[in-house]
Structures are given as C-alpha cells and as structure tokens.
Amino acid sequence: MKNTFGSSVSITVFGESHGTAIGAVLDGLASGIEVDEEFIAAQMKLRQSVGALSTPRREGDKVRIVSGVFNGRTTGTPITFIIENEDTRSKDYGELAYKARPGHADYSAQMKYHGFQDFRGGGHFSGRITAGVVAAGAVAISALRKKGIKIATHILSCGGVFDRTFDDIQADIDSLNNMEFAVLDDVKAQAMQAAITAAKEDGDSVGGRLETIVTGVPAGVGEPWFDTVESVLAHALFGIPAVKGVEFGAGFAAADMRGSQCNDSFRTEDGSLTASTNNNGGILGGITTGLPILFRTAIKPTPSIYKEQQTIDMRTMDNTTLQIKGRHDPAIVHRARVVADSITALVLCDQLSQRFGTDWLADTKN
C-alpha cells in the first residue's frame, strides 16, 4: 500500500475503520508552528456525523498527539496523531467477507490483497480514515493562516440543488469556516438537506459537488508539466474516498468557450495583479498567479444503501444479491468539505516549503 503523500511536507495515514485506532503522521513541517488543540477539535467536529443527515455511528474523535509537539509548538520532528475507534459494530459486516458491495472497494481489494484485508466497515478504504487527515490538516491550516493564506469550501450542489458561487470572497470564506453545513445560500441549504432526507427515507443516497477557494498564495509556486499545482492537488484530492472528479477554474466548461471568453484579462490595482475573470483557477502553466485558486470536487453518492442490489459471491464467483445492514450516511458531501480543506492545506504547505524553504511557514519571531 502507498499511504504517504508529499515531498517536503508529507502525510502518512494509518488504521482501519473497525481497528483499535486510526491516525496520521505529519512529517517535514517546520519547527515553531503553533499547534492549537482547540482548533483541531473544532475541525474534527466539522467531519463528525451529526443528526439525521449522517450515519448513526458516533465517534468522539478525540485526537492524541504523541510526538512532534512540545510546549504547544512543532519541534520539526514527525507529528503523530492518534484517534481511537470507539463506536464500532463489526457484526453488521459478517457476510461482506465474501459478498462484494457495489460501489465499494471490496472486490478490487480482494483481487489485490487476496482476502487478508480488513473488510469491516470498509477497513483501510473507509472514509473513517479521513479523520487523521483532518487532524493533520488543522495544523497545516493554522500555519497557512499565519502567512495570510485562507481556504474555504462550500457545497456547490447536492441532490440536484445548487448553491450560489463565491461573490464577496473574503466574507464568504469567513462565513463558511464557521458553518456546520457549509452552504452560502440558506434557502438552498434547506433544500439540500431535504433532498438528503428524502434519499434516506427511500433507502438510498445522494452525492454532490464541493467548490474550494484559496486566497493569499503567492505567485510563482508550482512546476510545469508533471508537478503542476493542479496535478498535485488533484492527485491528493483523489485520495479522498468517493471523489470521482476534480476541475479547476472553468473546468470542463472551458472546452465550450472561445479563447476570448476563456482568457482572464489582466490588470493591476495598487501594484497587485487582478483579472476580470478567473477561468484558469489562479494557475497558469502549472504555476500560481497570485489570483485565488479555485477548484471543484465531485463526490459520488454514498455506496452503502439499503436497497437490495445484485452482486457476486467472491468465494464461488456465483451471482447473488445483497442487502446492506448497519449504519451509513445518506450523503457524505457535507462531511467531506473539511477533508477537502485539509488536503488542500497539506498540499500547499508542501508546495510552499519546496518553493521558499521549510522555515517559510515557521513563526520564528516567537
């Protein structure tokens, strides 16, 4: 398995959904960065299941930091985050040892790991593993904020309901980062929640799109060709379970534009670059322009649904049926939002450290 991402600043994830614990190791981060455990807890809460829109599985998600932090600041050595699994119910997964759940990694995992994988709750493939990413991401987000870099994600669409896009960017960022259900239009938020509830009542699920914006990243970060900012971000974002698409700026809509429509016309205001549009998502030639980085992430419907489905018996390769039991989310897009923020922060810490040096992120004045 390949569970580590990043060059200068890297994250390694570990654990299984129904194992003793899950977590992450954050390595390469500069010394002297403040680690705010209250902020980590607040970020973890944004990922937790809450109310009828999420799984009934309730995890406390208390984060233990067992290395790399001393007197509230990073030491420069690997930071290890451990999160105990407390509310597991493995008996719900008995027949899944041999019946492949449609939409899940059961069959592909069987082909790769020959039956030795932990199938309970999805094992290492579960969205549960993202808890460690959020814990590590909270430290990265804090470090970036000290450098004037802000990240925010909203639910652009869910269940066929669309939110508005970013308008007053700084105000929208500040508003979103205090929301449990991150939607910019309150009326659309209610409609999305109704769509999730309707799918749940039908034993089904819905997906959605996330839209992420990043402000304050200096121009000149990234590489052309194979390590473009887009390719590195997309690589990491596709590691989030259920992500099936990533697009930057105008994305696929750019294919239907003329050049005169797609090009972002440059101007300067008070010596800083501005543009009339941001169809390229703040990245040209794989390198940041200093304009806001903008991208969208497609989240597929939760594959665990309560409707009877056709599948196979992996022992005999005979056709059979499956009706999933247990506790599952009718939608995960609202919980995935903070994961997208966290992945983005971790990638940017890595990119910025490669461009300006590791100590660029450090609060050396203190």
Side-chain angles (χ1 to χ4, degrees), residues 105 193 235 326:
Q193 292 174 11
H235 185 171

Side-chain angles (χ1 to χ4, degrees), residues 16 32 34 79-80 85 101 127 170 178 182 197 201 216 225 234 238 242 275 287-288 299 303 316 362:
E16 292 79 33
E34 183 179 2
I79 308 169
T80 304
N85 289 324
R101 294 170 297 171
Q170 292 305 325
N178 292 314
T197 300
E201 291 172 351
W225 291 96
F238 273 114
I287 299 168
T288 58
I299 307 292
T316 63

Side-chain angles (χ1 to χ4, degrees), residues 39 42-43 46 145 150-156 163-186 189 192 209-215 294-295 334 337-338 341:
F39 179 67
Q43 291 294 97
L46 294 177
R145 285 182 179 177
K150 295 183 178 181
I151 303 169
T153 299
H154 72 117
I155 306 168
L156 179 63
D163 190 20
R164 70 169 174 85
T165 57
F166 289 101
D167 182 18
D168 184 337
I169 292 175
Q170 292 305 325
D172 286 344
I173 288 175
D174 293 340
S175 176
L176 286 169
N177 285 329
N178 292 314
M179 289 184 187
E180 185 177 284
F181 193 83
V183 179
L184 294 167
D185 185 324
D186 291 340
M192 288 182 191
R209 296 177 183 86
L210 297 172
E211 186 174 53
T212 301
I213 197 162
V214 187
T215 61
L294 180 72
F295 60 88
H334 55 296
R337 152 277 189 114
V338 70
D341 285 347

Side-chain angles (χ1 to χ4, degrees), residues 285-364:
I287 299 168
T288 58
T289 63
L291 296 173
I293 297 172
L294 180 72
F295 60 88
R296 287 168 292 281
T297 310
I299 307 292
K300 73 176 184 178
T302 317
S304 290
I305 59 176
Y306 295 101
K307 293 180 178 292
E308 185 175 87
Q309 301 173 85
Q310 295 182 342
T311 187
I312 59 168
D313 185 319
M314 291 186 289
R315 299 169 300 181
T316 63
M317 296 303 290
D318 291 333
N319 294 322
T320 186
T321 59
L322 169 69
Q323 188 160 24
I324 294 175
K325 301 179 177 63
R327 303 165 294 173
H328 307 289
D329 294 89
I332 57 173
V333 64
H334 55 296
R335 300 177 65 192
R337 152 277 189 114
V338 70
V339 184
D341 285 347
S342 301
I343 285 286
T344 302
L346 291 162
V347 168
L348 290 176
C349 282
D350 185 30
Q351 291 286 300
L352 290 161
S353 293
Q354 291 180 63
R355 178 71 174 94
F356 301 115
T358 303
D359 281 347
W360 189 81
L361 288 167
D363 187 6
T364 53

Side-chain angles (χ1 to χ4, degrees), residues 61-80:
D61 283 347
K62 181 173 175 54
V63 179
R64 280 197 301 129
I65 301 176
V66 299
S67 68
V69 177
F70 182 65
N71 289 335
R73 292 187 180 269
T74 59
T75 63
T77 60
I79 308 169
T80 304

Side-chain angles (χ1 to χ4, degrees), residues 220-224 228-230 262-264 266 273 278-291:
V221 177
E223 300 291 339
T228 68
V229 174
E230 296 110 319
C262 188
N263 291 345
D264 302 314
F266 291 143
L273 179 75
N278 195 12
N279 291 321
N280 291 281
I283 303 165
L284 290 169
I287 299 168
T288 58
T289 63
L291 296 173

Side-chain angles (χ1 to χ4, degrees), residues 73-140:
R73 292 187 180 269
T74 59
T75 63
T77 60
I79 308 169
T80 304
F81 306 87
I82 296 178
I83 305 156
E84 305 287 340
N85 289 324
E86 300 170 337
D87 188 20
T88 58
R89 206 163 73 185
S90 299
K91 62 183 178 59
D92 291 335
Y93 295 87
E95 67 175 335
L96 301 182
Y98 56 89
K99 285 188 177 182
R101 294 170 297 171
H104 279 277
D106 298 342
Y107 179 74
S108 55
Q110 178 75 13
M111 294 299 99
K112 184 173 178 66
Y113 302 114
H114 314 296
F116 293 101
Q117 69 277 5
D118 184 347
F119 59 85
R120 300 169 302 167
H124 192 63
F125 297 91
S126 171
R128 175 85 185 123
I129 308 305
T130 62
V133 173
V134 173
V139 177

